Amino acid sequence: MPKAEYRSSIRSKNLIKKALAKLIHEKDISKITVSDIIREADISRGTFYAHYADVNGVIEQIECEELQNLINFVDDFGFENISNDTKTFIKLICEYLSRDMEYYRMLVQSNIINNFIWRLVNIYYEKLLSVLIESGKCSKNDADLYLLYIASGAKSVVVGWLNGEIKGSPDEVSDRLGKIVDSCKAFFD
């Protein structure tokens, strides 16, 4: 059984991740250095290196944590419920993101959000594909087309919302996006 992580360690890691997210908003991710992060987080170099080998290590941890959070989120909601209650699922995701909107807005400035959204889609893709095909309403080709369209569109809307290009509360955005996704289900009729 792994040792429980000390609060100071968790706090330091959170400071580092928040600092990186803020810096991503200010400059290109490839130009961010460990010195930039420690200055922004107001921590020592030793504290940074106690947790991460380099900037990429921070990025990888953010991607892995967010991916795991979304996987847990999908699993808790119930995979079977996603296609039956798309609007509620989208609403819960928007509410989840709005809890720390500034953090996610900053992550959108890099490819971090894009990377883990596509990794999440890939994890569930085969399962979604088999559910659609087993419904008997479509071929594999049509299911591929539908999934790509819905995943790309939903990702773009959520990213646009995080960037402030699309206005509305989590309820408003999820309601509008849910209606669009539901209307696309007519593709199979």
Side-chain angles (χ1 to χ4, degrees), residues 4-20:
E5 208 169 1
Y6 290 106
R7 271 187 254 186
S8 63
S9 175
I10 293 168
R11 182 181 168 279
S12 296
K13 286 180 179 180
N14 286 335
L15 286 171
I16 292 167
K17 289 184 286 188
K18 294 273 185 176
L20 176 63

Side-chain angles (χ1 to χ4, degrees), residues 58-70:
V58 182
I59 293 167
E60 286 172 19
Q61 183 171 17
I62 290 170
E63 285 180 353
C64 289
E65 284 176 357
E66 292 304 327
L67 180 63
Q68 191 58 54
N69 288 342
L70 286 172

Side-chain angles (χ1 to χ4, degrees), residues 21 24 62 66 103-113:
I24 287 169
I62 290 170
E66 292 304 327
Y103 177 68
Y104 290 107
R105 184 172 286 140
M106 287 185 267
L107 292 180
V108 163
Q109 303 300 315
S110 73
N111 255 349
I112 292 175
I113 293 265

Side-chain angles (χ1 to χ4, degrees), residues 25-38:
H25 191 66
E26 296 170 2
K27 63 200 274 189
D28 185 80
I29 197 164
S30 64
K31 305 263 191 262
I32 297 172
T33 65
V34 170
S35 295
D36 294 331
I37 293 172
I38 62 174

